[in-house]
């Protein structure tokens, strides 16, 4: 078994209105040191070892978790050791 941690973010150059709104709210609360905010998504999956984990996770991200036109993703794998 593996834990897969997937991070999805907007590609560089894609406008992030949600991030902009959050930054403006931070400034209104006197957190003026925050220069920019980018919003993304985080997924934590537990998957069986099929021998093709990288291939399957990439397919899953491309087909469901991320919009490849405007988003990019990265992930890490962590082997789960049974107790």
């Amino acid at each position: 078994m593996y834990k897969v941690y997937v991070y999805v973010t907007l590609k560089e150059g894609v406008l992030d209105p949600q991030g902009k709104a959050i930054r403006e709210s931070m400034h209104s609360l006197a957190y003026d040191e925050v220069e920019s905010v980018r919003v993304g998504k985080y997924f934590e999956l537990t998957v069986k070892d099929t021998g093709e984990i990288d291939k399957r996770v990439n397919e899953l991200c491309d087909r469901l978790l991320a919009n490849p036109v405007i988003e990019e993703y990265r992930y890490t794998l962590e082997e789960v050791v049974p107790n």
Side-chain angles (χ1 to χ4, degrees):
M1 290 284 233
Y2 283 86
K3 280 277 195 183
V4 182
Y5 305 97
V6 181
Y7 305 88
V8 179
T9 56
L10 291 170
K11 288 183 176 179
E12 191 68 35
V14 175
L15 295 179
D16 186 354
Q18 187 177 11
K20 183 179 178 183
I22 292 169
R23 182 185 60 119
E24 296 300 321
S25 295
M26 289 176 174
H27 286 183
S28 72
L29 294 171
Y31 294 102
D32 297 323
E33 66 273 16
V34 177
E35 293 186 16
S36 68
V37 177
R38 299 287 285 177
V39 176
K41 298 179 276 188
Y42 169 74
F43 301 92
E44 192 172 301
L45 315 170
T46 304
V47 299
K48 296 180 209 171
D49 185 0
T50 63
E52 296 185 319
I53 291 176
D54 283 313
K55 178 181 179 229
R56 299 293 284 170
V57 170
N58 280 305
E59 287 175 1
L60 183 59
C61 290
D62 285 335
R63 296 180 70 193
L64 180 66
L65 301 181
N67 177 346
V69 174
I70 62 168
E71 295 175 317
E72 56 192 11
Y73 63 87
R74 63 183 171 81
Y75 64 89
T76 59
L77 299 172
E78 180 181 297
E79 190 169 5
V80 176
V81 180
N83 293 335

